[in-house]
Amino acid sequence: SFTIVRNPQFQASKMPDVPRGNPDKVVGKIITDPTAAMETVLNGQSDYDFQPIPNDRLATIQKQHGAQLKIYTPSDMYYIFLNNRIAPFNNIKARQAVEYGLNRQAMVQFFGGLAQPTQNLLPPNYPQYKKISKYTYNLAKAKSLAQASGTTGQSVTVYGVNTDPSKSIVEYVASQLTKMGWKATVKLLAHGVYFTTIGNQA
């Protein structure tokens, strides 16, 4: 947690462009679980929650607490990346199979319908964004490319964070990789150790 209090030495007259601010004190509590964070607001323990509303609760929250809810589109990107240094994804046909074998539009449901699928590295609400539509969902083509890569039957591990939307995305991706012909397993990690773990090449 953290606490911010007024600085008694602050002299607004010397910094006219800096607002005085309204609160005398701000207390922040770091809660990594979105449901727990949301409950603190609903129970009157918190004034504000920065965590996303859990998708399975979004419709109810919109209906019961619509005046307290602000939905906006941040410039965030969720993406799947492949380790192209080792089999099977050091094979371009295997990578192309994944491109065709993931239904980006279907994955929007994991974000409560609020996401926008893209094949670009820039978020769609960036001014420099240009729509790329090279790959359309085609599971039959994905299976064919996976077969042509000669890598089907190999084991693939799909890592992700153990909370949604990551958890649901990882499970979906593993399911699709299995349909394409690989033996996919899921490894879900706590957010605090996820990036350290996947950053380790071993």
Side-chain angles (χ1 to χ4, degrees), residues 1-4 26-30:
S1 64
F2 59 89
T3 302
I4 302 171
V26 174
V27 177
K29 189 173 182 184
I30 299 168

Short mmCIF file of all heavy atoms in Angstrom, two decimals, residues 1-4 26-30:
data_model
loop_
_atom_site.label_atom_id
_atom_site.label_comp_id
_atom_site.label_asym_id
_atom_site.label_seq_id
_atom_site.Cartn_x
_atom_site.Cartn_y
_atom_site.Cartn_z
N SER A 1 0.85 -1.19 0.00
CA SER A 1 0.00 0.00 0.00
C SER A 1 0.89 1.24 0.00
O SER A 1 2.10 1.16 0.19
CB SER A 1 -0.92 0.02 1.22
OG SER A 1 -0.16 0.12 2.39
N PHE A 2 0.27 2.39 -0.23
CA PHE A 2 1.01 3.64 -0.18
C PHE A 2 0.06 4.75 0.28
O PHE A 2 -1.16 4.64 0.13
CB PHE A 2 1.61 4.01 -1.55
CG PHE A 2 0.60 4.14 -2.64
CD1 PHE A 2 -0.03 5.36 -2.90
CD2 PHE A 2 0.26 3.06 -3.44
CE1 PHE A 2 -0.95 5.49 -3.91
CE2 PHE A 2 -0.67 3.18 -4.45
CZ PHE A 2 -1.28 4.40 -4.69
N THR A 3 0.63 5.78 0.86
CA THR A 3 -0.15 6.93 1.33
C THR A 3 0.51 8.22 0.84
O THR A 3 1.73 8.37 0.96
CB THR A 3 -0.23 6.94 2.86
OG1 THR A 3 -0.81 5.71 3.31
CG2 THR A 3 -1.09 8.11 3.35
N ILE A 4 -0.31 9.10 0.28
CA ILE A 4 0.17 10.41 -0.17
C ILE A 4 -0.57 11.46 0.63
O ILE A 4 -1.80 11.43 0.72
CB ILE A 4 -0.12 10.61 -1.68
CG1 ILE A 4 0.55 9.51 -2.50
CG2 ILE A 4 0.36 11.98 -2.14
CD1 ILE A 4 0.14 9.52 -3.95
N VAL A 26 -4.39 10.59 0.22
CA VAL A 26 -4.80 9.51 -0.68
C VAL A 26 -4.12 8.24 -0.19
O VAL A 26 -2.90 8.21 0.01
CB VAL A 26 -4.38 9.79 -2.14
CG1 VAL A 26 -4.69 8.58 -3.02
CG2 VAL A 26 -5.07 11.04 -2.68
N VAL A 27 -4.93 7.20 0.04
CA VAL A 27 -4.40 5.90 0.46
C VAL A 27 -4.65 4.91 -0.67
O VAL A 27 -5.78 4.74 -1.12
CB VAL A 27 -5.08 5.40 1.75
CG1 VAL A 27 -4.56 4.01 2.12
CG2 VAL A 27 -4.85 6.39 2.88
N GLY A 28 -3.59 4.31 -1.15
CA GLY A 28 -3.70 3.30 -2.21
C GLY A 28 -3.38 1.93 -1.67
O GLY A 28 -2.38 1.75 -0.96
N LYS A 29 -4.22 0.96 -2.00
CA LYS A 29 -3.98 -0.42 -1.59
C LYS A 29 -3.81 -1.24 -2.85
O LYS A 29 -4.68 -1.21 -3.73
CB LYS A 29 -5.14 -0.93 -0.75
CG LYS A 29 -4.88 -2.28 -0.11
CD LYS A 29 -5.99 -2.66 0.85
CE LYS A 29 -5.70 -3.98 1.52
NZ LYS A 29 -6.79 -4.44 2.38
N ILE A 30 -2.72 -1.96 -2.97
CA ILE A 30 -2.44 -2.74 -4.17
C ILE A 30 -3.09 -4.11 -4.04
O ILE A 30 -2.72 -4.92 -3.19
CB ILE A 30 -0.92 -2.86 -4.40
CG1 ILE A 30 -0.33 -1.47 -4.60
CG2 ILE A 30 -0.62 -3.75 -5.60
CD1 ILE A 30 1.18 -1.42 -4.55
#
